[in-house]
Amino acid sequence: MPIEGVDQPEILPVEEGLRLHRYEGECDFALDWYQDPDTLLLVDGKTDPYTPERLRQMYEYLNQKGELYFIEVLEQNVWRPVGDVTFWQQDMPIVVGEKSMRGHGIGTKVVKRLVQRGRELGYDALFVEEIYSWNPASRRCFEKAGFLPFAPTEKGCSYRLVLK
């Protein structure tokens, strides 16, 4: 159940060749992302690899919190998932799981599209619960979309973007 009272689109276009595709229960293809120690450190602050069951539990939890999407890129006329993002007013966890896709602005484009979605839904502000101090790429991604540090956390900082 995504955001209460809001219909989640199946596809949310970001730009040509980049889109968000609603989570529909299938996630086995994402297990490799959550096996990589570098990715896990950025996501969880530790390097414990996910099991298939833990991965499903994580996605089901996120799907209950907000709008869960897989980030997809178009390659040779086939949409391929390269990461995931969950959108709700209080947080926006995002992972570009395919390492070869990092550093190309995908995360920033996705976050900016979700900021637009927040405006469409009439939100006055959006928040990011925590960005770890050791994840400068995530900080840059959200700051490029207009988010500013809001409050210190145990391992980093929460961020806020005022929309109105």
Side-chain angles (χ1 to χ4, degrees), residues 139-160:
R139 285 196 314 267
R140 282 191 306 273
C141 171
F142 281 95
E143 288 171 359
K144 285 180 184 177
F147 284 81
L148 296 172
F150 178 60
T153 62
E154 182 180 335
K155 297 178 183 176
C157 195
S158 64
Y159 280 69
R160 174 179 65 183

Side-chain angles (χ1 to χ4, degrees), residues 94 105-112 131 136-147:
I94 182 171
I106 290 173
T108 299
K109 291 172 186 175
V110 166
V111 169
K112 285 181 176 181
I131 298 176
S138 188
R139 285 196 314 267
R140 282 191 306 273
C141 171
F142 281 95
E143 288 171 359
K144 285 180 184 177
F147 284 81

Side-chain angles (χ1 to χ4, degrees), residues 6-35:
V6 174
D7 288 330
Q8 179 183 0
E10 180 182 349
I11 301 294
L12 197 58
V14 177
E15 67 175 22
E16 187 174 334
L18 180 62
R19 72 181 189 181
L20 302 178
H21 186 259
R22 181 178 63 210
Y23 171 75
E24 295 175 342
E26 176 58 40
C27 62
D28 294 340
F29 58 85
L31 185 61
D32 286 347
W33 305 338
Y34 292 92
Q35 298 282 306

Side-chain angles (χ1 to χ4, degrees), residues 65-84:
K65 295 296 283 185
E67 296 182 348
L68 174 56
Y69 296 98
F70 286 107
I71 302 165
E72 295 181 332
V73 296
L74 184 62
E75 294 179 340
Q76 300 175 350
N77 293 323
V78 176
W79 288 100
R80 183 171 72 87
V82 298
D84 60 64

